Amino acid sequence: QVQLVESGGGLVQAGGSLRLSCVGTGSIFRTTVIQWYRQAPGKQREFVAIITSSGTTNYAVSVKGRFTISRDNAKNTVYLQMDSLKPEDTAVYYCRQSGSPVVWGQGTQVTVSS
């Protein structure tokens, strides 16, 4: 059973930075597509960033130029570096592994104060 565990969330002031980590179990992790999503209170879960097994990336318009997704396959880990954070980035951040079945992590809270 594949599991994903996120960490790195916390409270930060606007303009600050955080780095989230998503650690996956199983050797298949390094061959799959991984995404980051987020869900703010009262809102639907939304896409943030994606990285393929070969390292190709893409981002939501709202975070492009501020967030960077990367992966270290030797550590079965995908990172989300978040810079120039804004209060509207406040949300629970989830990583998601594509495939059958799709696997979600439990989420990590990010709170950005103004």
Side-chain angles (χ1 to χ4, degrees):
Q1 180 81 17
V2 173
Q3 289 187 320
L4 302 177
V5 179
E6 302 98 332
S7 62
L11 173 64
V12 64
Q13 287 189 330
S17 298
L18 284 173
R19 189 177 80 158
L20 306 183
S21 298
C22 171
V23 180
T25 60
S27 59
I28 193 174
F29 181 86
R30 63 196 65 181
T31 67
T32 60
V33 175
I34 302 294
Q35 302 102 35
W36 283 97
Y37 280 75
R38 66 186 182 186
Q39 188 166 19
K43 294 188 177 181
Q44 288 190 333
R45 194 169 296 189
E46 64 175 4
F47 166 79
V48 175
I50 185 171
I51 187 166
T52 68
S53 58
S54 60
T56 301
T57 61
N58 202 3
Y59 300 90
V61 171
S62 59
V63 306
K64 202 164 190 176
R66 300 187 298 121
F67 290 11
T68 304
I69 189 171
S70 62
R71 70 191 302 160
D72 184 340
N73 286 336
K75 296 182 179 180
N76 269 18
T77 302
V78 169
Y79 303 99
L80 186 67
Q81 177 67 41
M82 306 186 297
D83 299 318
S84 302
L85 282 162
K86 305 175 181 180
E88 51 263 44
D89 294 318
T90 294
V92 178
Y93 283 71
Y94 300 88
C95 61
R96 174 187 186 271
Q97 178 178 286
S98 297
S100 182
V102 169
V103 179
W104 291 89
Q106 85 289 349
T108 185
Q109 176 71 48
V110 171
T111 303
V112 184
S113 63
S114 56

